[in-house]
Structures are given as C-alpha cells and as structure tokens.
Amino acid sequence: MISFEQALNIIRHRIQDSKITPAIESVSLTSAGGRVLAEDLAADRDYPPFHRSTRDGFAVKSADVSKTPAALRVIGLARAGEPYSGSVAGSFAVEIMTGAPLPDGSDAVVMAEYTRELDPQTVDASVNRQVEVLRAVAPWENVVRRGSEAAAGGIVIARGRRLGPGEIGLAASVGKPELQVFRRPTVAILPTGDEVIAVDQQPAWFQVRNSNALALSAQVEAAGGAPRLCAIAPDEKAALRGLIEEGLNCDLLLLSGGISVGKYDFVAEVLAELGAEIYFQGVAIRPGKPLAFGRVRDKFFFGLPGNPVSTFVTFELFARAALELLGGVPYQPAVFLKARLAKPVRQKTGLMVFMPAHVAPRCESSTAAADADCLTDPMVELVGWQGSGDLAGLANANCFLVIPPRQTDLAAGDWVDVLPKSWRW
C-alpha cells in the first residue's frame, strides 16, 4: 500500500511519460466555456490601448498642481467613446469620465471630490470655466497606463488553461471569435456488481440503484471529460470482460466496484487476462483504500471502490488529475485550505482520512468585530454520516476534513486542512 502523495506522483509521471496528446479542434468562443486552450493567446494590441482614467474628475499635468490650491481653466471634456482631441498645456484641465482616454499632455487625474468649481464672477471674464484643485496628485495617479495590463504580442492566456468566464472575456477582448481547444477525453464508466440495478428500476431489499455511474458522469463532465456510460457488469467473467473491452475504446476507463479480493470480485482477474499493467493497488487513505491504477492496451484505467463516498473521493483525488492530464491541462496538485475545527476529532487509522464536512463562517457574538473575525476564521465541522456508503452525508458536505496519518487527536479550535468538494473550479 502506497501513500497519497506516492499515488499522485505515479499517476502524474505515467501519464506524462506516455506522451499522449489529445486532438485539437476549433470551437466558437460562445461554446468554449470549460474547454482547454490548445494555443497561446496573444494580445493583438496594447491593453489598455491608451492611458485610461480610473476616476471621474479632471485630467491635469501633475506638475501644475504640485502646490494647492491651484486654479485651472477647463478646456474640454473626455468620456469613454469620445476622447478629447486637443492637448493639455499650461494651467489647463480637461474634465474626464472613468474609462476615458487621458488627453495628450496630461499625466494624472484629480478626483472630482478634490476639486471645486470657481464662481464665474470671481474669475477673468474671458475664461468660461475654472476649477480649483484642492489636493496634489502624483504622476499617473488615478490612471491605468497604456500596455500595463498586456503588451501587444504578449501571451495573455497560455496553452493548457481551462477557459472560465474570465478567460472567455479576455479572449473576446483580444478579438478571438474562435479558439483552438483540446478535444474532450472520452471516459468509459463501468459499474459492476449483481446488486446494482438501473436508476429507473424498483430495487429489491438487497439491491442498490446505479448511483455511482451517474455521480461519476457528473464528475467527469465537471473535469472536462466526455462520459460514456457502459452497461452494468454482472459478477461473471465473460460478460465483465466484454464490457471492459468495450470501455477500452475510450481514452480512460473507470471501473466502479469489484476491485477488492472477494470471491466474486473479478475485475483484477479479467484485467490480468487482458495483459494489464497495474501501477498500484491500495492507497493509504480512507475512504478509498482499494483504489487501483494501471494501463491495458495503451489505455489508462482506474479501479474505483464500490462504496459511493469512496468512489467520489477517489475520483476527485486521483482520476480527475489523470483526466485533466489526458485533456491537455498541466498537472495541478490538490489545494488544501485551512479552517478551525468546530468540535474535537479523534482518528487512529494510520491512514490519510477524508471525512465529509461543512465549512462556513461562524460568530459567537453579533458585534462588528466578531463579524470581521468570521471572514478570517472559517469553522469546519463534520456532517452526520454513516461511512463510505452514505450519499446523504456526502450531499450535505461542501468539503472534506483532511486528517494526516500521524495526527490522531484534534481539539476544537485547531487549524486543520480542508479540501473543497470542487476545488479545481
């Protein structure tokens, strides 16, 4: 049995060493959400393409307002979509709106609240409008300088990035109506066991509905894969072999159940007959210890435990990483966050434990100070669950409390590791 870290390293290196490269296809920007970019995206011009005001106020030459109060003549207006065509020189200013280009000759914006309009009766009659600046500004204050976000020709989104809303918006801003993306890896999901029946059937008292396959299908979709649901494999070698061979037409095969060493657990035996190379079988975690990973006929596969929580956890920790690597995403280790433990926990398993939990801000007082503390000290508490078969407990959790193998007694208030249920998105 190997450690959590060792298992991840084996998965990472085996897939990277295989040199499997997904096919590339072109999709419209409107269909690119969740896809993996297969090209580097470069800026088609400087961003911003001009010095941009970040405040409503007056564009000035900062040297003209180094001593305040300073009276300036207002010579025009600049707003987004309608820049001022002249230049600022001498003791002049241009009224400017947020997002507007800075006029030539100016190098700063004085916020409107630090100015006041001068009464026309108190100024030279030849001047239509004057404003008094009450606070000095430094060069480029309240301005985003041209090219500071991205220089023309510079890479703004690197190949291998999954495209979320921010990336889609950025691709649109650099004028990319179509993108080159990696094809989604196909993932065969093969549930096993005589006790498993279709979701739309009425189970006998000793049967269970096919929840694992449907949950895995949703996890595969969220990870960027294309799920392919196989028929339920009975505990019979010939039928199981046929369904495994069918599943090997996909890029990745996920087997749910039948990987242990029971009298009717035939998965390992059938895989061996097909010439499978098993890279590991058994990881020092709970739930999910019987997990297996290997390769057969040039296709990678996972033997996932049959209990629903075990299946969910092992996919998120291991199979998702493999799927993303096969889909062109660079390896990303799991991100563990920190929270304070609400109640004491004791574990003596010698395994790395992932327990369904719920993390949220918690306050003991209604004071403003306590509310602020809630935002910095989230509390995590185990949900009520009855072990690795409890889907109701899993559904009530928004994270997993992570307990390292050598840590057995945790007190209330201790900082602990938590893994969000959907940490990669």
Side-chain angles (χ1 to χ4, degrees):
M1 190 163 55
I2 62 175
S3 70
F4 167 73
E5 293 83 3
Q6 288 173 323
L8 278 177
N9 282 330
I10 290 171
I11 294 167
R12 174 187 181 183
H13 292 299
R14 288 291 182 175
I15 294 179
Q16 288 178 338
D17 291 346
S18 72
K19 307 296 184 183
I20 294 174
T21 303
I24 295 174
E25 59 191 17
S26 180
V27 298
S28 69
L29 189 56
T30 56
S31 303
R35 302 301 296 271
V36 178
L37 191 63
E39 59 179 330
D40 288 333
L41 236 57
D44 61 328
R45 58 178 180 166
D46 287 339
Y47 285 90
F50 49 78
H51 302 316
R52 184 179 66 215
S53 174
T54 63
R55 297 287 187 272
D56 291 344
F58 294 89
V60 301
K61 184 177 292 186
S62 58
D64 291 340
V65 294
S66 59
K67 294 181 180 179
T68 55
L72 302 177
R73 180 183 172 188
V74 181
I75 57 174
L77 171 68
R79 62 186 183 87
E82 190 175 325
Y84 178 71
S85 58
S87 63
V88 174
S91 296
F92 293 159
V94 170
E95 188 174 10
I96 193 166
M97 303 293 110
T98 301
L102 208 65
D104 290 343
S106 60
D107 67 352
V109 172
V110 178
M111 295 170 61
E113 48 264 49
Y114 298 126
T115 65
R116 69 182 183 90
E117 295 280 344
L118 292 177
D119 187 338
Q121 297 180 359
T122 67
V123 300
D124 188 334
S126 65
V127 177
N128 294 326
R129 181 184 178 197
Q130 278 195 334
V131 67
E132 188 172 52
V133 175
L134 306 176
R135 177 176 172 178
V137 288
W140 307 112
E141 189 170 339
N142 300 319
V143 175
V144 178
R145 299 186 68 175
R146 174 177 175 168
S148 60
E149 297 172 356
I155 302 302
V156 293
I157 310 178
R159 170 188 168 102
R161 178 87 67 86
R162 190 175 298 285
L163 298 166
E167 289 82 2
I168 296 296
L170 181 53
S173 74
V174 300
K176 294 288 290 186
E178 291 191 351
L179 296 175
Q180 297 293 304
V181 298
F182 291 116
R183 182 182 61 82
R184 296 180 189 270
T186 56
V187 182
I189 299 170
L190 176 52
T192 69
D194 287 339
E195 76 281 13
V196 183
I197 63 170
V199 174
D200 58 355
Q201 292 183 337
Q202 183 63 39
W205 64 270
F206 56 87
Q207 294 176 315
V208 294
R209 292 189 175 97
N210 187 20
S211 61
N212 279 358
L214 276 296
L216 282 171
S217 179
Q219 288 177 284
V220 167
E221 286 271 11
R228 302 286 188 267
L229 292 176
C230 300
I232 300 168
D235 292 325
E236 191 273 315
K237 285 180 60 178
L240 176 61
R241 179 178 179 132
L243 287 168
I244 288 177
E245 290 181 326
E246 177 186 322
L248 292 176
N249 292 318
C250 291
D251 299 307
L252 180 66
L253 171 62
L254 303 179
L255 297 122
S256 172
I259 197 65
S260 298
V261 292
K263 184 176 180 180
Y264 296 102
D265 292 330
F266 296 122
V267 170
E269 186 177 343
V270 171
L271 288 170
E273 291 176 358
L274 292 172
E277 183 179 4
I278 306 293
Y279 300 132
F280 64 76
Q281 184 166 6
V283 182
I285 62 171
R286 195 186 76 177
K289 186 170 67 172
L291 176 73
F293 171 64
R295 193 175 187 185
V296 58
R297 296 183 180 175
D298 293 325
K299 299 293 178 69
F300 290 100
F301 67 85
F302 283 91
L304 305 175
N307 284 325
V309 181
S310 300
T311 304
F312 184 96
V313 169
T314 50
F315 178 90
E316 289 300 318
L317 293 177
F318 304 106
R320 178 186 280 262
L323 175 56
E324 291 182 337
L325 285 168
L326 291 170
V329 179
Y331 176 73
Q332 303 175 71
V335 177
F336 296 103
L337 306 179
K338 290 288 186 181
R340 289 193 183 276
L341 190 61
K343 297 179 180 178
V345 174
R346 167 174 280 190
Q347 289 288 318
K348 291 187 176 180
T349 64
L351 306 173
M352 190 169 186
V353 180
F354 296 83
M355 305 178 74
H358 192 274
V359 63
R362 180 176 299 176
C363 294
E364 302 298 332
S365 163
S366 61
T367 65
D371 289 342
D373 288 342
C374 283
L375 299 178
T376 56
D377 287 0
M379 301 292 289
V380 63
E381 186 172 358
L382 296 176
V383 300
W385 72 301
Q386 305 302 315
S388 57
D390 187 354
L391 274 173
L394 177 64
N396 289 330
N398 65 2
C399 68
F400 294 95
L401 170 63
V402 183
I403 304 177
R406 293 176 295 278
Q407 196 166 10
T408 57
D409 293 295
L410 297 169
D414 283 351
W415 284 103
V416 292
D417 288 331
V418 296
L419 179 71
K421 277 172 71 174
S422 300
W423 64 268
R424 281 182 168 88
W425 267 100

